């Protein structure tokens, strides 16, 4: 005769976000032990019954055999402190406009984030319970996919808010990440019961074709904005001498004293670091 299980407890470490146990051979007096590091959820015949804090609990409140005999019990232990690292990446490039030239760009981005269970019941109902295979890898994939709809517009909005040209985006990945974090945190906490502890952008990729178009547009803007270095008169593209004072014209650009970036003659702010030019 199989030995009856009197106590169920989690003996693993606290590095896993969740663990599912499906014990067989339960007794009417079987208790579940929930450690300080975890919450637990009890399911009976697939129905979510209780969410438990740390402590000792009876699985069956009704002791009569007719109430518990043959009932299938699953217990999910959910860590209070374990963090799950999720890699994310845009499946296709998304569009926004370059701040200097107003030309559309196609951009791809990749990075990672760390999440932790904040609301055990909501996390189970919205994410874990829907996963028939119940694996961490499947959970990571689901979290990554649901994130993309928020990331793309949030990145585009952050780039616009920070007034970044295409060649400055990778230099300011940390600022963009911090700007995107509130939108990501709200999504995961309200919809999935998860806390987001970190969100980072690892790389931003722009197509060479778009870069070429922007650089061509920059050259045209530079040519139409050129002024004579001697008298300040407006110049036309291709002018070798000033039509007002006759001074020889050379390709003159403002060099930023902070980062060394060369800007158009009429630039008020550096396109390399964003600081005001004299």
């Amino acid at each position: 005769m199989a030995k009856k299980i009197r106590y169920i407890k989690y003996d693993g470490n606290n590095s896993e976000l969740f663990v599912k146990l499906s014990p067989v051979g339960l007794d009417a007096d079987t208790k579940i032990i929930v450690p300080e590091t975890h919450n637990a959820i009890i399911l009976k015949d697939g129905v979510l019954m209780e969410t438990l804090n740390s402590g000792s609990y009876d699985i069956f409140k009704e002791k009569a055999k007719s109430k518990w005999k043959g009932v299938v019990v699953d217990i999910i232990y959910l860590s209070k402190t374990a963090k799950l690292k999720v890699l994310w990446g845009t499946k296709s490039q998304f569009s926004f406009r370059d701040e200097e030239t107003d030309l559309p760009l196609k951009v791809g981005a990749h990075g990672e984030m760390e999440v932790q269970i904040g609301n055990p019941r909501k996390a189970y109902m919205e994410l874990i319970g829907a996963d028939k295979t119940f694996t961490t890898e499947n959970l990571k994939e689901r979290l990554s996919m649901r994130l993309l709809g928020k990331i793309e517009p949030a990145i585009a909005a952050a780039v616009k808010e920070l007034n970044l040209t295409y060649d400055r985006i990778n230099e300011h990945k940390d600022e963009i990440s911090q700007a995107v974090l509130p939108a990501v945190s709200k999504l995961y906490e309200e919809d999935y019961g998860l806390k987001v502890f970190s969100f980072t952008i690892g790389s931003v990729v722009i197509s060479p074709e778009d870069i070429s178009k922007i650089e061509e547009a920059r050259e045209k803007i530079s040519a139409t904005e050129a002024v004579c270095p001697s008298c300040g008169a407006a110049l036309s593209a291709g002018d070798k001498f000033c039509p007002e004072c006759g001074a020889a014209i050379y390709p003159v650009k403002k060099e930023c004293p902070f980062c060394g970036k060369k800007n158009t003659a009429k630039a008020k702010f550096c396109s390399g670091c964003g600081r005001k030019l004299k």
Side-chain angles (χ1 to χ4, degrees):
M1 177 183 248
K3 185 178 179 181
K4 294 294 183 180
I5 298 175
R6 302 303 299 271
Y7 294 95
I8 299 171
K9 60 182 180 178
Y10 176 58
D11 293 324
N13 56 43
N14 197 28
S15 62
E16 296 178 282
L17 205 64
F18 60 86
V19 173
K20 179 182 180 182
L21 301 180
S22 301
V24 177
L26 299 179
D27 185 82
D29 295 319
T30 300
K31 293 183 180 294
I32 175 174
I33 309 299
V34 184
E36 290 286 346
T37 54
H38 286 71
N39 294 115
I41 287 176
I42 298 179
L43 294 95
K44 296 177 184 177
D45 289 333
V47 179
L48 192 154
M49 304 300 292
E50 294 181 84
T51 303
L52 308 174
N53 295 315
S54 58
S56 175
Y57 303 88
D58 290 322
I59 289 183
F60 302 107
K61 292 184 171 60
E62 298 287 344
K63 304 302 181 182
K65 281 191 176 183
S66 59
K67 298 292 185 180
W68 62 268
K69 193 69 173 178
V71 174
V72 177
V73 175
D74 294 312
I75 299 166
I76 297 94
Y77 283 97
L78 303 104
S79 173
K80 295 179 181 178
T81 58
K83 295 183 178 68
L84 180 69
K85 184 176 291 186
V86 179
L87 301 178
W88 62 266
T90 54
K91 295 293 184 182
S92 59
Q93 293 184 316
F94 59 96
S95 299
F96 68 91
R97 291 187 174 274
D98 176 62
E99 284 297 304
E100 185 175 351
T101 62
D102 198 39
L103 287 176
L105 285 172
K106 289 288 188 181
V107 175
H110 301 82
E112 66 180 40
M113 65 177 180
E114 281 188 318
V115 299
Q116 185 182 78
I117 293 175
N119 184 325
R121 192 178 186 90
K122 184 179 284 291
Y124 174 80
M125 294 294 290
E126 299 296 333
L127 291 168
I128 301 170
D131 194 340
K132 293 181 180 179
T133 56
F134 213 86
T135 66
T136 300
E137 288 307 312
N138 284 347
L139 177 57
K140 286 181 180 181
E141 184 177 355
R142 181 175 290 113
L143 291 176
S144 178
M145 289 298 294
R146 295 189 180 187
L147 179 66
L148 298 183
K150 278 286 185 183
I151 286 181
E152 294 176 5
I155 289 178
V159 170
K160 185 174 181 62
E161 180 69 23
L162 294 168
N163 197 32
L164 299 177
T165 52
Y166 86 91
D167 50 350
R168 296 174 58 209
I169 293 176
N170 272 303
E171 298 174 14
H172 294 266
K173 290 182 295 186
D174 290 345
E175 292 97 318
I176 298 172
S177 296
Q178 289 303 308
V180 173
L181 180 59
V184 175
S185 296
K186 184 177 180 181
L187 168 71
Y188 276 76
E189 187 168 355
E190 291 183 355
D191 293 353
Y192 310 126
L194 299 175
K195 296 179 181 178
V196 179
F197 277 83
S198 66
F199 176 85
T200 59
I201 297 173
S203 64
V204 177
V205 180
I206 302 172
S207 72
E209 293 79 7
D210 283 345
I211 292 176
S212 296
K213 289 178 183 177
I214 290 174
E215 288 301 327
E216 288 176 9
R218 282 184 171 185
E219 290 179 6
K220 290 180 181 178
I221 292 172
S222 177
T224 56
E225 290 185 346
V227 295
C228 174
S230 297
C231 70
L235 301 173
S236 300
D239 283 349
K240 295 183 178 179
F241 295 90
C242 175
E244 293 294 327
C245 69
I249 304 302
Y250 302 96
V252 177
K253 290 189 176 183
K254 287 184 182 178
E255 182 173 308
C256 176
F258 302 102
C259 70
K261 174 81 174 181
K262 290 185 178 180
N263 300 269
T264 58
K266 288 187 177 181
K268 295 180 180 179
F269 293 89
C270 176
S271 63
C273 66
R275 298 194 185 188
K276 190 171 182 179
L277 299 172
K278 294 181 179 181

